[in-house]
Amino acid sequence: MAEKFAIITGASTGIGFELATLAAQNGYDLLVVADEALINAAAADFEQFNVNVQSIEADLSTTEGVDALLAATQGRKIDVLCANAGRGLGRGFLDQDVAEWRRVIDTNITGTLYLLQSVLKDMVHRNEGKVLITGSIAGFIPGSFQAVYNASKAFVDSFADAIRNELKDSKGVSITTLMPGPVETEFFARADMLDTSVGAADNKSDPADVARDGWNALMKGEAHIVSGWKNKIQATVAHVTPASILAEEHRKMAEPGTAAKD
């Protein structure tokens, strides 16, 4: 058993899988979680780095799922938490089922906050620990045809800034926000966005590069990291562009059928 212990959520694929790989390579025992059975196959991959790996299939949009994850730690000290689990949802808001947009909110916001509050209390008590929260540059942009998702990331980005300030006197605890742009993962298929311009684009970021940016910033205790130079430019521009223009530009990327129009 290693001295260091990390929890990675949403670790079955994409950014979470790559974050777990980096943690294992750096000698952390792992507790990895996702809401699909694929997490068990992912865990087998992480074991190649000779660390202890435990996997759990749980729905982190529910308090019961978060409680199951916390129970799986068996009281072990958590050195690193990568709160990466998230859910997307495309198409027009009025066309979305209530259960679908509620699950986006419950996964990206409610479950994430419940997990963070539970883990951070002990970290602050020990005055030691590192947290990486996966936000998004989407949080800077009114997300036409992705409205609930972008709004949920705006919440996450803002929330992370707020609690970082609340805990500024806990010098041994750091909270880092990872803010990628579009990433080549299963996100767009799961969000029913493969017929959109952004979903069909072939210039998305590599999840391994995004995870590496996030991990390096986490280890340095940095507050924020926007992954990718194009996304850094987009994030900067978003801060000085009227919301109506940003919403219209997002519509061009995310409106259903735009991939076929290109």
Side-chain angles (χ1 to χ4, degrees), residues 48-79:
Q48 67 180 294
F49 301 107
N50 297 316
V51 295
N52 182 273
V53 182
Q54 181 181 0
S55 60
I56 178 173
E57 182 181 351
D59 182 357
L60 299 184
S61 71
T62 67
T63 55
E64 293 82 6
V66 176
D67 284 338
L69 171 61
L70 295 170
T73 68
Q74 299 181 326
R76 187 171 178 184
K77 175 173 67 74
I78 302 164
D79 299 289

Side-chain angles (χ1 to χ4, degrees), residues 69-135:
L69 171 61
L70 295 170
T73 68
Q74 299 181 326
R76 187 171 178 184
K77 175 173 67 74
I78 302 164
D79 299 289
V80 164
L81 168 64
C82 294
N84 170 75
R87 180 170 294 275
L89 183 63
R91 306 198 176 272
F93 174 64
L94 298 185
D95 298 324
Q96 295 169 351
D97 185 80
V98 173
E100 291 181 332
W101 61 253
R102 280 196 62 178
R103 193 168 186 197
V104 172
I105 292 172
D106 288 341
T107 302
N108 298 0
I109 298 177
T110 309
T112 298
L113 264 60
Y114 181 43
L115 177 60
L116 288 170
Q117 188 178 57
S118 300
V119 172
L120 278 167
K121 282 184 177 180
D122 184 62
M123 286 185 173
V124 170
H125 178 74
R126 298 183 347 245
N127 198 31
E128 180 186 26
K130 294 181 179 294
V131 172
L132 181 70
I133 303 172
T134 301

